[in-house]
Amino acid sequence: MENLLILKGNIIFTQTPEEFKVYKDSYIVSNKGKIEGIYNILPEKYQNCLIKDYRNRLIIPTFVDLHLHASQFIQCGMGMNKKLLDWLNDYTFKLEKDFSKAQFAQEAYNSFADELIKRGTLRACIFATSSTIGTEILFEILKKRGIGAYIGKVDMDRNAPESIIESKDQLIKGTKYLIEKYKNEKLVKPIITPRFAPTCSDELLKELGSLANKYDLPVQSHLDENLDEIKWVQSLFPKTKNYSQAYYLNDLFGQTKTVMAHCIYLNEDEINLVRENNVMLVHCPDSNINLRSGIMPVRKYLDLGVPIGLGSDIAGGHRIALNESMVRAVQLSKILNINSPGIKPLSIQEVFYLGTKSGGKFFGNTGSFEKGYSMDALIIEDDKLISGRYSIEDRLEKFIYTGDDRNICARYVEGKYIEI
Ligand SMILES: [Zn+2]
């Protein structure tokens, strides 16, 4: 019975995007990190087990952030007057070169991990930098902290400062080293990460695609974020019909599990390619507004059945807390709705679903509390004036809109308590 974890409290999650499932004053039981069930009355077989009684607090799934750059955490909230390509040149690239210095990487990635975990994101798809040493440090830090993550060495061999690009052979060597070292890890795993098509030669993309196939590894990158970027891709890849094809033709677009950030301007051919290849899109609302990239047509994609998760996109996005990205996703959808009343805004249930169960699918059965799912949970405490007066759904909505790490009083990943 030592593998059992029983939490008691007000359990709330989204099994579907339409509604919250609520179990008031109930027990959620997991065995070896997997959920066995939720019970209003605890079955007899569990009666003698230790129960962690969280009383009137909320028990919710942990947040899943499908797109962020760990190395950019310390530049959050800077350079926000710029658009994507200038912002990358003036801020991001300059900072990223310092991650080849072990001490700097250690310090910066530790503060990133502290904040990520405090804010309740315990599954994430993360870009490190092109530095193999720096990326290895990030693997070690997150492995020690016990959270679930895909981590990518950011591969690029052109169109970035010399200080952060490597030759194709160096990149492949470093990427392979990290794959070999971490491919059998349970929670922290490698992901193939071309930064974005403009910083990768066709030959590099091809080799990354064969690595993804050879090791059956997932892929992450950026796609159709900004109109200037799209024009640039057209000039760099004149033979491809569209931006998505630059990845697709190199086996980096759904041939293995793939997640693509932004995807604001997908044309109809690209949407079809996304659907045929089951590519997961990441909506990064804060970033898209900060860098004036545009607004993702989330409703249109959802209606077409395209899988979507949420991303803070640190540091295009300025806040690492995913509940804040949920709020921004609702707000942006309301702007679209104000301008075109036919486009239904996103509901609080829908954005919670995107940031938990929908994004969680990238990690297997995570982000929900259904049977067989991973016991990844946050315990949320709110003010007595609130908890005594409002419904569980209202309390969760209030936490999403106004809550922060002060409201999160415990965190679990696969049934293990996560220290902060
Ligand atoms: Zn990004």
Side-chain angles (χ1 to χ4, degrees), residues 67 69 222 262 313:
H67 183 75
H69 299 255
H222 300 86
H262 305 299
D313 192 20

Side-chain angles (χ1 to χ4, degrees), residues 67-69 72 84 87-88 127 195 221-222 225 261-262 284 287 313-316:
H67 183 75
L68 76 168
H69 299 255
Q72 295 170 21
L84 175 67
W87 176 79
L88 283 173
F127 283 57
R195 176 173 218 121
S221 196
H222 300 86
E225 175 176 1
H262 305 299
C284 305
S287 169
D313 192 20
I314 294 305

Side-chain angles (χ1 to χ4, degrees), residues 272-304:
N272 288 335
L273 203 62
V274 160
R275 294 173 70 192
E276 281 159 21
N277 291 281
N278 206 27
V279 170
M280 167 86 74
L281 310 187
V282 194
H283 182 30
C284 305
D286 262 340
S287 169
N288 295 344
I289 279 307
N290 286 336
L291 301 174
R292 283 172 288 152
S293 302
I295 303 179
M296 188 202 235
V298 181
R299 175 64 64 204
K300 174 179 168 183
Y301 295 159
L302 288 177
D303 286 347
L304 289 167

